[in-house]
Amino acid sequence: MKVREPLISELSSPGRRGVRFPEPDVPTTPLPKGLARADLPLPEVSEVDVVRHYTRLSHFNHAVDINFYPLGSCTMKYNPKINEALARLPGFTEIHPFQPPETVQGALRLMYELQEALKKITGFAACSLQPAAGAHGELTGVHMIWAYHHDRGDTARTKILVPDSAHGTNPASSAMSGFKVVEIPSDDRGNIDLEALKAECDETVAGLMLTNPNTLGLFEEHLLEVVELVHSVGGLVYGDGANLNALLGIARPGDLGFDVMHLNLHKTFSTPHGGGGPGSGPVVCAPHMADYLPGPIVVETEPATDEMPPMYGFEFPKKSIGRVKSFYGHFGVMVKAFAYIAMLGEYGLRQVAEDAVLNANYLRVRLQDAYRIPYNRICKHEFVAEGRWKDAPGVRALDIAKRIMDFGFHPPTNYFPLIVHEALMIEPTETESKETLDAFADAMLQIAEEAHTNPEILRTAPHNTPFGRVDEVKAAKELILKWQDAQS
Ligand SMILES: *Cc1c(COP(=O)(O)O)cnc(C)c1O
């Protein structure tokens, strides 16, 4: 039997307190009528009660600093702590966006060098650090596609093609930009279906949004042909570069013919995410799209001399779609991503990709006899298995996801991508050791065994977590979004 955790209201004892405010050294005035509630049932607790309460709550959560977090498509790699220390340097935290550029040259140089690094890594000609996240980068990129066509008087292009394996943000970004979304099916090897693509390629195509490797973790086998097809009818190819983990230092989307792409600094480049905190979704593009990038962009305003380093300032591209974010984007995230890139260098980044791919394939092969993997070929940074068996009809992917928590692991992404039934999408990342991968694989194999011998243990899981199985329907229908006093 688990001991029920006390609510903080139950720890309350009248008159107990954690802080004592100093006597005011100015005259006091009562608060205006109606502003203060007399009946606010705040718990009365000591400092140690508060510390223990929040520390206990923090243990209810899973984090990559606690254990393995194979949440496919999310790239939950370890976030080096030195990034945090660097982002906290007073020279970075104590500057203000309204300061004149000559007083913040260090910060501008960091942004400039990050732009340059991202261009070099992806093979593109230009970069804007403005967007706040991946979805925001997509919206920005699709707006740029719209601006590119309209600027040329090419206004009949009304549709964007999106493969059925795409992340939901792709059709959302296209629709929010006013385009009609046309879904393209995948073929039986997990590639975009070339015949279906051909059938939709006409002069109304504004662009194709392509994720490569796609959300099945597979490299698009006919990529050059796909790009060529879309270009041949005057469309542009958008790359969803949220996960670049498999390509770093190996292949550059700019060289492969993509026109515009966003990157997630908070996935590939190790800045923390998952708690809803700030992300960063820079957009990179080919020369013909550079004029449409959102500004401001950091540029060199004066070259270096023998005595002086170069000077940096801001510029708006000539036909910019404008600002997409207040000020200069999420600067703290940029510091962390830059630290990561600078620390690894070219060879280190390539090693990231090689290890990420090796780890994903290692797990894929260890699990392939126990779980059906519908598109089972060499994968890139992730793979997708089915969480169901014909001879264990009572068990679903959700049950497997819940049961894996009993082993101390975060569940894989489930029910995405939509083209795999009962999908379990597993992305180990490069930062995990063979021992961790083996412990996870052993647990997954045990679960597959239990599905056949003791399905009840899966259906009632998790058993070892602070909370048991929640009623997901009730949780969605009866949202409780604020603290409520237990008595009320
Ligand atoms: C995570 C992800 C996105 C969206 O990124 P956010 O920063 O969460 O908005 C888009 N596409 C793919 C393939 C992703 O994995």
Side-chain angles (χ1 to χ4, degrees):
M1 264 288 283
K2 253 199 300 285
V3 182
R4 192 175 70 82
E5 303 284 348
L7 297 168
I8 189 128
S9 51
E10 292 167 347
L11 299 174
S12 182
S13 173
R16 193 171 286 169
R17 59 201 297 178
V19 285
R20 202 170 291 279
F21 293 108
E23 286 303 316
D25 56 1
V26 290
T28 58
T29 20
L31 282 171
K33 243 191 140 125
L35 207 63
R37 274 197 275 155
D39 62 339
L40 199 60
L42 287 177
E44 295 180 72
V45 289
S46 68
E47 180 173 328
V48 65
D49 289 334
V50 173
V51 169
R52 286 184 181 157
H53 173 69
Y54 283 107
T55 305
R56 190 166 53 233
L57 287 185
S58 76
H59 287 231
F60 288 7
N61 245 335
H62 191 84
V64 74
D65 288 349
I66 294 174
N67 204 354
F68 190 38
Y69 205 140
L71 190 66
S73 200
C74 289
T75 317
M76 305 303 286
K77 63 174 70 179
Y78 172 71
N79 312 129
K81 296 297 166 262
I82 189 169
N83 296 353
E84 302 298 320
L86 296 173
R88 256 186 241 125
L89 289 175
F92 290 136
T93 55
E94 291 177 11
I95 53 179
H96 192 278
F98 283 146
Q99 268 178 253
E102 32 324 339
T103 67
V104 288
Q105 284 294 304
L108 294 196
R109 178 167 176 189
L110 183 136
M111 291 173 73
Y112 180 82
E113 293 197 2
L114 179 59
Q115 290 169 191
E116 292 303 303
L118 296 177
K119 281 153 63 176
K120 190 168 178 192
I121 289 167
T122 56
F124 283 107
C127 173
S128 171
L129 301 173
Q130 276 255 304
H136 195 200
E138 287 176 35
L139 186 75
T140 302
V142 177
H143 273 46
M144 288 168 63
I145 290 179
W146 189 93
Y148 173 85
H149 291 309
H150 279 247
D151 193 31
R152 294 150 48 95
D154 196 353
T155 54
R157 298 186 180 273
T158 49
K159 63 182 185 187
I160 298 253
L161 313 178
V162 181
D164 60 359
S165 60
H167 199 268
T169 48
N170 289 191
S173 304
S174 302
M176 283 184 71
S177 305
F179 288 107
K180 186 175 152 224
V181 179
V182 178
E183 188 177 281
I184 309 291
S186 303
D187 68 15
D188 55 11
R189 283 182 63 77
N191 296 307
I192 188 164
D193 187 310
L194 274 182
E195 290 312 312
L197 179 66
K198 270 184 203 145
E200 287 295 343
C201 273
D202 56 32
E203 65 295 339
T204 66
V205 172
L208 164 75
M209 291 188 88
L210 195 66
T211 311
N212 182 57
N214 64 21
T215 63
L216 295 166
L218 301 174
F219 199 94
E220 186 63 52
E221 289 175 300
H222 312 292
L223 180 69
L224 298 179
E225 225 177 315
V226 169
V227 169
E228 169 68 32
L229 248 171
V230 176
H231 283 166
S232 72
V233 293
L236 296 170
V237 183
Y238 182 94
D240 179 336
N243 294 297
L244 225 57
N245 234 28
L247 299 188
L248 291 172
I250 296 175
R252 306 198 311 167
D255 299 336
L256 298 171
F258 287 89
D259 298 287
V260 54
M261 170 177 231
H262 81 271
L263 312 167
N264 277 20
L265 299 189
H266 49 291
K267 286 179 183 170
T268 312
F269 299 102
S270 88
T271 73
H273 60 302
S280 180
V283 169
V284 283
C285 67
H288 55 278
M289 303 288 288
D291 282 349
Y292 307 99
L293 277 173
I297 286 172
V298 182
V299 293
E300 232 182 73
T301 49
E302 281 169 48
T305 63
D306 288 345
E307 295 91 50
M308 292 286 286
M311 290 289 285
Y312 301 94
F314 291 111
E315 200 175 88
F316 263 81
K318 278 204 276 307
K319 301 169 181 173
S320 175
I321 60 164
R323 275 181 188 275
V324 296
K325 181 84 183 79
S326 52
F327 300 117
Y328 308 109
H330 286 154
F331 179 69
V333 180
M334 296 172 203
V335 176
K336 296 176 200 181
F338 182 74
Y340 180 75
I341 292 170
M343 192 163 59
L344 287 171
E346 286 180 38
Y347 296 104
L349 289 176
R350 188 185 169 101
Q351 182 92 44
V352 164
E354 288 173 349
D355 291 350
V357 171
L358 182 63
N359 280 357
N361 279 288
Y362 181 73
L363 274 186
R364 179 180 62 82
V365 171
R366 276 218 58 191
L367 298 184
Q368 69 185 359
D369 293 334
Y371 291 82
R372 191 172 113 79
I373 297 170
Y375 304 93
N376 196 9
R377 55 181 168 98
I378 299 262
C379 64
K380 296 299 161 205
H381 58 291
E382 64 194 0
F383 66 97
V384 182
E386 265 184 24
R388 63 170 183 178
W389 296 269
K390 276 203 190 73
D391 52 354
V395 173
R396 323 168 48 204
L398 183 72
D399 303 317
I400 299 166
K402 297 294 183 193
R403 178 66 174 143
I404 198 71
M405 293 163 77
D406 284 337
F407 296 83
F409 300 116
H410 194 283
T413 297
N414 50 53
Y415 299 98
F416 177 77
L418 305 176
I419 57 174
V420 174
H421 296 288
E422 301 291 326
L424 290 170
M425 182 196 222
I426 300 173
E427 179 183 13
T429 84
E430 74 285 0
T431 53
E432 299 302 329
S433 65
K434 179 167 180 297
E435 289 76 12
T436 301
L437 299 181
D438 279 330
F440 176 75
D442 291 344
M444 288 295 284
L445 295 177
Q446 181 182 325
I447 291 172
E449 169 92 24
E450 287 169 353
H452 295 85
T453 55
N454 184 10
E456 200 48 29
I457 201 169
L458 303 197
R459 279 198 293 268
T460 51
H463 306 278
N464 303 336
T465 51
F467 292 95
R469 174 96 52 132
V470 294
D471 180 337
E472 305 205 350
V473 176
K474 191 160 182 260
K477 289 199 165 165
E478 291 171 35
L479 283 180
I480 301 173
L481 296 175
K482 63 180 177 61
W483 183 79
Q484 293 180 339
D485 179 51
Q487 285 91 50
S488 64

